[in-house]
Amino acid sequence: MPAYQTEGAAGFDIAAYLKEPFLLKAGARALIPTGLFFEVPGGYEVQIRARSGLAIRSGIGLVNGIGTIDSDYRGEIKIPLINWDSHDFVIHDGDRIAQAVLSHYERADLQLTEELSRTERDDGGFGHTGV
């Protein structure tokens, strides 16, 4: 069962659901099952995020940075992990492999236009404000 680890935690931990240990080789990626199925309310998403301790200690992250579970998805939650490290990593049943945050969202009213309003920043990109 997913669980918040502290009173102030925004995310709850998600664990691997494995019949046997899984070897995630250095530089490899894999979809790790959790045995979980969510019914997310409309207007919400569940964001899947890497666990910072796993990332810094073992080089394990999410292939896609942050994953989204939409309110209309009913399949098993699987976590796309990548081993950025130079050493293999073994995942065991019950290991906490990711965290999830329930987030409210608004859907945009997308419109095609020929022109955008001007701003002080305008089209200034990365580093445009200096050091």
Side-chain angles (χ1 to χ4, degrees):
M1 185 71 181
Y4 293 97
Q5 297 301 309
T6 66
E7 186 66 29
F12 52 89
D13 286 341
I14 294 180
Y17 184 70
L18 301 168
K19 292 181 177 155
E20 56 190 46
F22 182 86
L23 179 65
L24 186 58
K25 292 192 171 286
R29 56 189 182 268
L31 205 51
I32 307 300
T34 66
L36 298 173
F37 298 78
F38 294 162
E39 186 167 330
V40 180
Y44 288 83
E45 64 161 328
V46 174
Q47 295 179 1
I48 303 297
R49 302 176 182 184
R51 294 193 63 238
S52 57
L54 206 58
I56 197 66
R57 284 193 303 275
S58 303
I60 305 300
L62 293 182
V63 173
N64 55 338
I66 294 178
T68 293
I69 301 168
D70 296 305
S71 63
D72 57 353
Y73 178 69
R74 294 295 186 269
E76 181 181 4
I77 307 305
K78 294 182 180 180
I79 308 299
L81 292 183
I82 187 166
N83 183 350
W84 297 106
D85 202 26
S86 58
H87 298 81
D88 294 347
F89 183 78
V90 178
I91 303 167
H92 299 91
D93 183 51
D95 283 354
R96 294 179 293 158
I97 58 171
Q99 61 180 321
V101 175
L102 179 67
S103 298
H104 178 73
Y105 67 85
E106 298 290 331
R107 286 182 56 117
D109 178 17
L110 303 174
Q111 299 176 10
L112 185 61
T113 184
E114 298 285 329
E115 189 174 314
L116 300 175
S117 63
R118 306 286 298 189
T119 68
E120 181 180 341
R121 179 178 181 178
D122 214 37
D123 63 355
F126 294 106
H128 81 282
T129 58
V131 179

